[in-house]
Amino acid sequence: MSRLLTLTGAVAHDPAIDAWFSAPADALRGFAQAWFEQMRNCGADVRELLHDGCPVACVEDAPFGYVNAFSAHVNVGFHYGAALDDPARLLQGAGKRMRHVKLRWGEDVDAAALRALIRAAYHDIRERLGSSA
């Protein structure tokens, strides 16, 4: 197994993330919040922190997902997304490990497929950590 990316400072519920989502000048952050809630609700062992200015979901100190809001879209990203099964072909990116799903206002998204990717990313990081599923 290759070394996992780890981040320090993850907690059960980070108030800084709630503040990030409630930024009054950024409606797209609210759009991203529902997807981060999906990550938060994957299991009791999910931890979170702000990293590089965006909300990140972890198990222990190992990140599995994040959301970020840009001027015209939201990314729902996965730190080991290249390893995820993506039958709906939602994932974008060409990096060695990371992938993301780009969401735009008014464009349909396969919500069930995105929820499945979030769950798969959570189970993948638990497996990488050697945690029981």
Side-chain angles (χ1 to χ4, degrees):
M1 177 173 75
S2 63
R3 269 189 75 203
L4 291 176
L5 170 66
T6 58
L7 305 172
T8 58
V11 296
H13 191 94
D14 188 346
I17 290 177
D18 294 332
W20 188 90
F21 282 122
S22 63
D26 198 336
L28 280 176
R29 289 184 181 190
F31 184 40
Q33 187 171 11
W35 297 108
F36 193 74
E37 290 297 329
Q38 291 284 321
M39 293 178 196
R40 279 177 163 164
N41 293 327
C42 281
D45 57 350
V46 173
R47 301 292 176 259
E48 61 191 47
L49 72 155
L50 281 179
H51 178 72
D52 287 342
C54 65
V56 176
C58 302
V59 173
E60 298 175 17
D61 289 331
F64 69 90
Y66 68 91
V67 298
N68 206 353
F70 299 92
S71 60
H73 71 277
V74 164
N75 279 356
V76 178
F78 306 98
H79 289 82
Y80 297 93
L84 299 177
D85 185 32
D86 180 25
R89 302 178 58 100
L90 298 179
L91 293 172
Q92 298 180 24
K96 186 175 181 180
R97 292 182 182 88
M98 294 182 77
R99 296 289 185 275
H100 65 275
V101 177
K102 191 176 288 191
L103 306 175
R104 297 181 191 277
W105 285 116
E107 289 184 6
D108 289 336
V109 62
D110 186 337
L114 183 48
R115 283 191 300 272
L117 282 172
I118 290 169
R119 285 190 306 273
Y122 168 73
H123 289 292
D124 176 72
I125 201 66
R126 286 180 52 99
E127 185 174 304
R128 290 173 188 272
L129 289 165
S131 302
S132 59

